Every structure is written in C-alpha cells, then in structure tokens.
Amino acid sequence: MAISGVSRLRGGLGIAALCYVGIDYLRRISPSWHATLQPKLWFVLALAAICRAPFYPHWSTELRSVLPFLGSLLFMLVTLALEATSVHFVTALLGLDWHRTALPLPDTGQWLFLALNEKLPTVLVQVLRAPLIGLHHYLMLFLMLAFSVLFDCVKAPGLGLGARYMFTMAVGRLLRVLTFLSTILPSARPWCASARFEIPNHPHPWLQKYYVPYASDPNMIRQLLREDMSNAPIGDYPAEVIPEWGRMKFLVNILRPSSAALSGDGTSWFSTLKRTGGGCNDLIYSGHMLVAVLTAMAWTEAYPGWTSAGIWFLVLHSTQREIRERHHYSVDCIVAIYVGILLWRTINLFWSAKDQSKTLRLEQLAQIEGRLVQAAKDADLDKVREMLYELNNPVQGQNPTKQALWGFAAIVIIFSLGIGLLAFTLTADG
C-alpha cells in the first residue's frame, strides 16, 4: 500500500507540472479560463505542500542544508546585481547613435527558420511560433521539483537541491558577465536601445579615444598596429552628465544617465538602473536559456522520465523562439545549452554536501552495525526502525526539539512560497 501510494505521488509531479504549463498558456487563448483556473491551481499546490509539511520525516536533514542554501541565495543575488549593472554598462558605453546604426550580425539560424516557415505545414509553424513557455515557467518548474521532496518524489534535502541550483546559476551568470563584457556585439533588434534606454547619443570618453577613431578607417588600424599606441585625434563631443548620487557617484561612468533621464521622476542611480529592464546588446550567452537548461538538468537528475523529456522538448522550443524572435543570435543559445549542461555536471563533482552525507551515513552504519544485527536476530522490529530512522536523519550536535523543527518547517514553507510568488511576479513579462 505504501509503495503504491508513493508511486502515485511520483507520477503526480509530472501531471502537476504539465497542468501548470498548460493552464498558464490559457492566458493566450482563453484569458477568462486562465483567470479562473490559475488561482485555483496555485491554491491546490500551496495547500498540498502545507498539509504535507507536518508529516515530512526529513526536516532534520533539511535543517543541515540551511547554511548552504542561504549562502547560495546570497551569492546568486550578488551576481544578479553585478549582471544587471554590467548589462546596462555595455549598452550605455557606446551611446544611442551606435545602436541605431549598427547592423545586426549575419545569423544562419535566423535564415534557417525563415526558410522553414516556407516549407513546413502552417500548423507546425504556428506551434513553433507559439509562446508555450517563458522564463517564469522554468523557475516555477524548479520550485515544484524542490517542493516535491515533501511527497518523496525526489530525494531529500530539498534545500540542498535548491542551494546547488542557485549556486550553479550564480556561477553561470558570472561567466556570462565575463563573456559579454569582453566583446560588445550589436543587438539583433536595432531599435531596442532607443526604446528602452535614456543614455547619451555619443560614446563614452574612453571609447572616444580608443574605439571611434579606428572603427571605420582601415588606415588608422594599420597605424595603430605599427605604433601600438592611440595617437588619433579625438572628436568634439558633449560633456558627460554627472548627477549628485552621493556615495554611489562611481556608477555615473557605468550607467551614463542622460539629462533627459535625470529630468524625469527617476533621478536616483537605482531608478536609472531598473528603468532599462535588460540590455540591448547581444549578450552572449543567453541568460534565459541558462535558466531553462539548469531547470531541465535538475529535473533529469532528480526526476528522470517522461516529464524530464518533456521539459527538454520545451527547452528546444524556447531555443528556436529566442532565435526566431531575435532576442538572441543562434550562438548565444547554443553556448548557453552546453555551458548549462557542463556547469551542472562540473559543480556536481565539487558539491561537497552529497559526498559528506554519504560518508556520514557509512560512518554511522559502521557504528550501529553490531546493534542492528543483534536487533534483527532478536526480531525487535521497533529497535530496527528506530536505528534506521536515526541513520536516515542524521543531525550533527544536539538533536533539535520537535517545536524547533515545526518552527523551522513553517519558516521554510512560508519563505519558499514567498520566493515563488516574487519570482513569478518579477519574471512574468519575460
């Protein structure tokens, strides 16, 4: 009976994931049904987690994963802040005039999908164009996977899985920042910067000396190669706007606000940063695809089967949509896929929590082996269950009280649901 119940719960995770993606897509084809069904689905999922929490037997194991989880969360938030600043920087550096005139790079992936539009059946083309899944869906799918630990669908601890996901995400974001800061590429959507940024038309003073004189004159490049010094004359450009940002004044050279931006309601550095909502260069590699691949890798490892295969199908669908809609070049998506896979595999090799848990269990098993064998000979099943429970729920130091575990469980559930709601709200627009 217990085994069949667990099997039904494991199968239910895939159905719940499918229902979530399907119901959220109703906003495109039937907004009224979406408005009715989505709150009910969220209520059912949250209620199931809350009702199951008191009977979850591994809270002591989760407690040991709190510090890695909080550390990974802090690391990810810091890298996201660094990424947001860097994204603004690479767009503001060249000025709006460059973004208006820079031609998109030739992309064979874009040409391929345009050709397929002419060859494939209309219905299939419409499926490829359909926005089946977005960034917030992948984040919610991972949260569902982590919460499913309450129902024994994946192995405990759920906080450990979340810590590894956030740590890998943070490392991936850092590598992404280093990549797109190294070489600035023009956007596949030339109008993007003018529509989303309020920055000067002219380039940064640094580029006025080191880039502009050599951007279009081959003879100047030859001279630069001979002398290895920048001796070209600098053109006449307007002065940079320097707002009063106090201690954050160092961000002026990074964010480069224009006088028009400062005349509006958002005069602080934070208002200037968040107004953009993303970058308008080609940011190699794709951050959206990194999230998608890490989510698919987590599902493949923790919950293999038809659901994981379906998520990989959605990853491929997202890839062709990113290219088709010119959010990214093909190279950005391809690099994001193999970087995400390699990062997940590589960090798993160095993720110490898993190996420490195995080592601790082996040590504890060696300590209780004699008592376990004796209890089995005496047919003392209660003693055997007690020792196996202690083996599966090791806690270093003093055992927490039942009241402490209940308080910890309540904090984890409320905090996790809050993060899920916040992530859904902030990323619902892509």
Side-chain angles (χ1 to χ4, degrees), residues 77 80 135-137 139-140 270 274 277-278 288 418-430:
L77 292 176
L80 290 176
L135 175 63
H136 63 287
H137 294 105
L139 294 174
M140 292 303 106
F270 184 71
K274 74 176 184 178
H288 285 64
I419 284 186
L421 181 61
L422 184 65
F424 183 85
T425 303
L426 295 178
T427 61
D429 60 352

Side-chain angles (χ1 to χ4, degrees), residues 13 52 56-59 62 143-159 161:
L13 176 59
R52 176 63 179 172
Y56 179 55
H58 304 296
W59 283 118
E62 299 287 348
L143 280 176
M144 293 175 68
L145 180 71
F147 267 104
S148 70
V149 73
L150 295 173
F151 304 93
D152 294 323
C153 295
V154 301
K155 294 181 179 179
L159 289 180
L161 180 62

Side-chain angles (χ1 to χ4, degrees), residues 79 81-94 173-185 206-207 254 281-285:
T79 56
L82 175 63
E83 182 188 42
T85 306
S86 301
V87 164
H88 190 113
F89 171 69
V90 295
T91 303
L93 197 61
L94 287 155
R173 294 288 175 171
L174 280 180
L175 293 177
R176 181 177 186 244
V177 168
L178 292 175
T179 304
F180 69 68
L181 282 178
S182 300
T183 303
I184 299 177
L185 303 177
W206 198 43
L207 273 69
I254 297 175
N281 292 86
D282 177 60
L283 303 175
I284 184 170
Y285 40 89

Side-chain angles (χ1 to χ4, degrees), residues 393-413:
N393 297 272
V395 180
Q396 297 174 349
Q398 185 178 2
N399 290 332
T401 63
K402 187 175 182 179
Q403 291 78 7
L405 285 179
W406 273 80
F408 170 70
I411 292 173
V412 169
I413 294 295

Side-chain angles (χ1 to χ4, degrees), residues 85-274:
T85 306
S86 301
V87 164
H88 190 113
F89 171 69
V90 295
T91 303
L93 197 61
L94 287 155
L96 288 179
D97 286 342
W98 183 86
H99 290 282
R100 294 189 187 102
T101 58
L103 298 177
L105 299 176
D107 189 335
T108 54
Q110 294 171 0
W111 308 337
L112 173 63
F113 289 122
L114 286 174
L116 289 177
N117 289 345
E118 301 173 359
K119 303 295 183 181
L120 296 177
T122 304
V123 175
L124 182 55
V125 173
Q126 293 299 326
V127 172
L128 293 175
R129 291 172 176 169
L132 300 180
I133 192 168
L135 175 63
H136 63 287
H137 294 105
Y138 289 112
L139 294 174
M140 292 303 106
L141 285 173
F142 177 77
L143 280 176
M144 293 175 68
L145 180 71
F147 267 104
S148 70
V149 73
L150 295 173
F151 304 93
D152 294 323
C153 295
V154 301
K155 294 181 179 179
L159 289 180
L161 180 62
R164 180 179 164 198
Y165 182 81
M166 291 188 294
F167 185 85
T168 308
M169 182 79 69
V171 173
R173 294 288 175 171
L174 280 180
L175 293 177
R176 181 177 186 244
V177 168
L178 292 175
T179 304
F180 69 68
L181 282 178
S182 300
T183 303
I184 299 177
L185 303 177
S187 174
R189 294 184 167 197
W191 62 87
C192 175
S194 299
R196 294 168 65 177
F197 280 76
E198 293 181 351
I199 56 177
N201 291 318
H202 59 277
H204 190 280
W206 198 43
L207 273 69
Q208 295 171 18
K209 180 177 181 180
Y210 298 113
Y211 169 70
V212 175
Y214 311 98
S216 58
D217 190 343
N219 293 324
M220 293 299 296
I221 297 178
R222 290 191 181 97
Q223 179 183 340
L224 179 66
L225 293 175
R226 286 195 303 267
E227 301 176 358
D228 197 24
M229 293 289 291
S230 178
N231 296 318
I234 300 175
D236 186 18
Y237 294 96
E240 295 288 292
V241 176
I242 304 178
E244 293 296 331
W245 284 351
R247 294 181 178 178
M248 306 302 291
K249 192 175 181 178
F250 70 93
L251 288 175
V252 172
N253 276 328
I254 297 175
L255 303 183
R256 296 193 72 212
S258 65
S259 56
L262 296 178
S263 63
D265 57 353
T267 58
S268 70
W269 65 270
F270 184 71
S271 299
T272 302
L273 181 60
K274 74 176 184 178

